[in-house]
Amino acid sequence: MGLILDTSALVALERAMGANSPLALEPDETYALPAIVWAEALVGVRLAADASRAARRLARLEAVRKVTGIEDFTPLISEHYADIFSELSRDGRLIPQNDIAVAATARAIGFGVVVGPADEAHFRQVAGLDVRVLS
């Protein structure tokens, strides 16, 4: 099984790279970035305080993207999104919609989700989703 990177994990990796720490991904694991996570990361680039910071941030993110690739939001993932949204909505436990898209991507391709070191416990509300915390 592979792992989908949540935005919190991607940001933690990007910050570690900025501090000259090694990339903390397991070399024998398969990783993927959902399209929505890449979009959220690009927002961070666009909102950077200056062009220099934006360029550094984008370079670090691109380094991660080269390892992971980007998983498109497909019709199959849309089906999983609708299922997860419905399941959580019925139980009164909705989570952020972008995180539903992350979870749907993971479930559709049979991957788990890796979140940042501060954890994103709401992912554990999604049935059948393996959630791991980046260490």
Side-chain angles (χ1 to χ4, degrees):
M1 171 179 64
L3 293 169
I4 290 290
L5 293 177
D6 175 53
T7 306
S8 61
L10 181 58
V11 168
L13 290 169
E14 186 256 333
R15 287 181 178 160
M17 292 168 72
N20 296 318
S21 297
L23 194 59
L25 295 176
E26 296 294 326
D28 58 339
E29 187 67 76
T30 300
Y31 294 91
L33 274 178
I36 192 64
V37 169
W38 185 245
E40 288 178 335
L42 291 177
V43 167
V45 171
R46 304 295 196 275
L47 293 176
D50 57 58
S52 173
R53 182 172 284 164
R56 285 191 308 273
R57 183 174 286 166
L58 182 59
R60 292 189 300 260
L61 291 170
E62 286 286 356
V64 175
R65 187 189 60 78
K66 286 180 183 174
V67 172
T68 65
I70 296 177
E71 193 68 37
D72 291 335
F73 194 86
T74 65
L76 176 61
I77 292 170
S78 298
E79 293 285 339
H80 281 268
Y81 181 100
D83 290 343
I84 292 168
F85 186 97
S86 298
E87 292 161 11
L88 295 174
S89 182
R90 279 189 199 109
D91 294 340
R93 302 179 293 131
L94 278 178
I95 66 174
Q97 288 195 15
N98 285 356
D99 289 342
I100 295 174
V102 171
T105 303
R107 277 199 351 192
I109 65 172
F111 277 29
V113 173
V114 63
V115 299
D119 202 350
E120 296 283 334
H122 59 266
F123 277 109
R124 288 181 186 80
Q125 295 180 53
V126 178
L129 189 64
D130 177 33
V131 181
R132 301 184 193 175
V133 178
L134 187 67
S135 55

